[in-house]
Amino acid sequence: MASGHASTAPALLVPEAPGLLGLSGLGFNRAQSIAFLVMLGVLLVGPFLLYPVFLMKLLCFALFACAFNLLIGYVGLLSFGHAMFFGMGGYVAAHAAKVWGLTPELAILAGGVVGAGLGVVAGWVAIRRQGIYFAMITLALAQMVYFFCLQAPFTGGEDGIQRVPRGALFGAIDLSSDLTLYWVVAAVFLAGFLFINRIVHSPFGQVLKAIRENEPRATSLGYRTDDYKLVAFTLSATLAGIAGGTKALLFGIATLTDVYWAMSGEVVLMTLVGGLGTVFGPVVGAAVIVTMQNYLAEFGAWVTVIQGVIFVACVLAFRAGVVGELGRILKVRL
Amino acid sequence: MLEEILFQLELGLPQIVLGLVNGAFYALLSLGLAVIFGMLNVINFAHGAQFMMGAFVAWMLLNWVGIGYWPALVLSPLIVGAFGVLIEKTMISRLYKLDHLYGLLLTFGLALIIEGIFRNEFGSSGLPYSPPAALGGPPVDLGFMFLPKYRLWVVVAALAMSLATWLVIEKTRLGAYLRAATENAALVQAFGVNVPRMVTLTYAAGVALAAFAGVLAAPIYSVNPQMGSSLIIVVFAVVVIGGMGSILGSVLTGFGLGLVEGLTKVFYPEASSTVIFVIMAIVLLARPAGLFGRA
């Protein structure tokens, strides 16, 4: 989406405004530091004001959307198949916790490992084409994974894997209380969020942005762009797997819904609504969409229609997303 | 060993011919996608939804207005094509200056809207649509198997429509304008051709092709709101395999992959739903531009 981000490119050359409270060490500018502190505050106070399970669901999707945004926002690759990592991560984490009896942190990790493995293979195939083809290829690969999950014995087919135990963290801290689990999920989200931020601001991340802006030029400067894209794809898939694994433990269930193409579309929508290529956009987008689904659940199939309308409206009139527009009004990068 | 394979093939012949019928739909749909992509540089994600609309419009014409299959085969693509004109004029035309991915996202949103509306109106279970009387009746004896007349008609109709599309694009003056505009739209416009109108009509034609396939599909598959969405993902894979460079390439790839899918159903049924995706991965590794594509 090179054209959409052309305006951010020169900013790479301009020194950033100093950060707050040493948060510039995380790569945040001043506005991002403030936004980060606000987000931390919401994370801390949230479970006492809102239903923790709702917040946890939101955080799982926020991490999923951040992982997706790493690709579209910073490498310019639109993956239309991220549900395969999210869903498979969920299945494997659920299987690990239920059948192998692993502790929750290991189960989530297993989800991440599977996401990574799947990411290497899918990425290896998909990065051979760019742009629209890349989107179609990832979508097709995800559909293949969906059919695999439909038939494989361990996924339980249409029933999914049900009654997955939350277990005890490190074998010691019982997670059956929603509030205890909340802190774990919040920690997973925060770790993933900061990790992505670290990647984006590393020299590696700069090369990714260079590829997004002008791939032939990056190649001519001596970078093996395919290798960079594959690593970014794998990292994104890993985090998506972790998000899926966390969600499976949270609800105690892993189903086909999470590997279906509609889920791939949903994460695109979240990121688009929040703002492609912004740090906080995916989080805000996930919050908007999850909240909307919660309140509109009674309308049944109309939710799909509303999501479609939001898609169309965003593409036609609101391409910068909530956070992007906010940044434009305040004249800061968020 | 060989005898066993031959025996299996003989038992599986109906499956293989049915694969050809599926291939007819892959061919028609990938053809429409290729026509639209060539001119608009947009991957029409709503293609599956428009295919479904074609089937539904045929059903509505029959049940609400009493218009039968044959007129519907012409009317339904016209109606859905007109809907395509509306979409192109009001939405897609605003995106030509942006990254191509926005076209994909927009049409994905449109697909969600269309499918959601039809699901609300008609539910998820399918509606029956019987084949026309002329194509009902006893199956045709092909010597080695009996084939229902209607399925034979689907293959013939898809081939004829593909041939007609090829003739229009390769052999007529309009087709020459189209091909020229694909190469250099600004220059063709400078010669006095109304390129924006041509773009609109191209989109409508591609959409009409999808609706035509939808009417063909109505008597075979039950008419339901989801009939397009899973099909379109397979068609995307078909398009990646064939490349969108040539019309004949799309048609050949479509029929070929339908056949391969049919064969897989005979020899290894578990893989029949994934075989096309596996082929896509192999083709990408060996020949990234696709079988008929230009890199």
Side-chain angles (χ1 to χ4, degrees), chain A residues 55-269:
Chain A
L55 275 179
M56 284 188 272
K57 182 181 172 193
L58 198 160
L59 289 177
C60 290
F61 278 107
L63 179 57
F64 185 24
C66 287
F68 171 78
N69 186 44
L70 176 62
L71 273 186
I72 180 73
Y74 298 99
V75 203
L77 294 173
L78 173 66
S79 160
F80 232 106
H82 253 48
M84 64 178 145
F85 312 120
F86 188 68
M88 270 306 255
Y91 272 125
V92 170
H95 187 78
K98 190 179 177 183
V99 182
W100 298 339
L102 291 188
T103 49
E105 74 283 356
L106 289 178
I108 292 174
L109 209 62
V113 169
V114 165
L118 203 56
V120 171
V121 179
W124 187 55
V125 173
I127 55 170
R128 279 151 206 276
R129 299 301 298 269
Q130 284 134 18
I132 295 172
Y133 279 101
F134 182 86
M136 289 197 287
I137 293 163
T138 44
L139 177 66
L141 290 174
Q143 188 75 349
M144 185 162 92
V145 171
Y146 169 78
F147 280 121
F148 167 78
C149 291
L150 190 64
Q151 293 173 349
F154 89 99
T155 59
E158 302 273 354
D159 298 331
I161 305 178
Q162 298 185 11
R163 270 172 296 163
V164 179
R166 284 183 184 176
L169 192 67
F170 305 117
I173 308 162
D174 183 34
L175 293 181
S176 50
S177 141
D178 282 345
L179 196 61
T180 322
L181 184 65
Y182 173 82
W183 298 120
V184 176
V185 174
V188 169
F189 162 74
L190 210 58
F193 180 84
L194 290 174
F195 179 57
I196 290 172
N197 203 57
R198 192 71 220 105
I199 296 171
V200 169
H201 289 99
S202 67
F204 171 74
Q206 299 296 338
V207 178
L208 292 184
K209 284 181 226 169
I211 293 173
R212 176 190 75 195
E213 297 301 333
N214 192 339
E215 185 169 349
R217 178 115 196 255
T219 310
S220 79
L221 290 173
Y223 293 107
R224 291 170 187 264
T225 53
D226 276 0
D227 292 359
Y228 279 87
K229 285 198 254 179
L230 183 56
V231 172
F233 192 85
T234 308
L235 286 170
S236 172
T238 310
L239 289 164
I242 289 175
T246 314
K247 177 174 174 272
L249 287 189
L250 159 64
F251 288 108
I253 184 167
T255 62
L256 286 170
T257 315
D258 290 348
V259 269
Y260 199 48
W261 58 264
M263 184 56 78
S264 300
E266 242 167 62
V267 75
V268 179
L269 180 62

Side-chain angles (χ1 to χ4, degrees), chain B residues 187-208:
Chain B
L187 194 60
V188 174
Q189 191 148 18
F191 286 147
V193 178
N194 189 342
V195 172
R197 188 198 288 159
M198 217 157 68
V199 169
T200 307
L201 291 180
T202 306
Y203 185 74
V207 170

Side-chain angles (χ1 to χ4, degrees), chain A residues 267-280:
Chain A
V267 75
V268 179
L269 180 62
M270 286 172 187
T271 315
L272 187 65
V273 166
L276 298 172
T278 59
V279 178
F280 295 93

Side-chain angles (χ1 to χ4, degrees), chain A residues 1-4 72 76 78 80 124-125 128-129 131-133 135-137 139-141 143-144 147-148 151 260-261 265 268 272 276 299 301-302 304-305 307-309 311-312 315-316 319, chain B residues 37 41 43 45 91 94-95 98-102 104-106 108-110 112-113 116-117 119-120 229-230 233 236-237 239-240 243-244 270 273-274 277-278 280-281 284-285 288-290:
Chain A
M1 308 219 136
S3 54
I72 180 73
L78 173 66
F80 232 106
W124 187 55
V125 173
R128 279 151 206 276
R129 299 301 298 269
I132 295 172
Y133 279 101
M136 289 197 287
I137 293 163
L139 177 66
L141 290 174
Q143 188 75 349
M144 185 162 92
F147 280 121
F148 167 78
Q151 293 173 349
Y260 199 48
W261 58 264
V268 179
L272 187 65
L276 298 172
F299 291 101
W302 285 114
T304 321
V305 179
Q307 282 185 345
V309 171
F311 243 112
V312 171
V315 171
L316 287 180
R319 279 184 290 275
Chain B
F37 183 77
N41 265 323
I43 277 292
F45 215 127
M91 294 183 235
R94 294 159 183 256
L95 300 178
L98 300 171
D99 196 297
H100 303 332
L101 292 175
Y102 283 112
L104 181 77
L105 294 177
L106 176 84
F108 179 73
L110 288 172
L112 288 182
I113 297 173
I117 289 175
R119 204 158 57 223
N120 278 319
S229 57
S230 45
I233 300 178
F236 280 173
V239 161
V240 172
M244 282 186 286
E270 290 83 359
S273 50
T274 48
F277 303 119
V278 175
M280 179 194 78
L284 277 171
L285 296 178

Side-chain angles (χ1 to χ4, degrees), chain A residues 312-330:
Chain A
V312 171
C314 278
V315 171
L316 287 180
F318 198 59
R319 279 184 290 275
V322 174
V323 171
E325 289 291 337
L326 197 68
R328 186 145 73 193
I329 294 167
L330 300 175

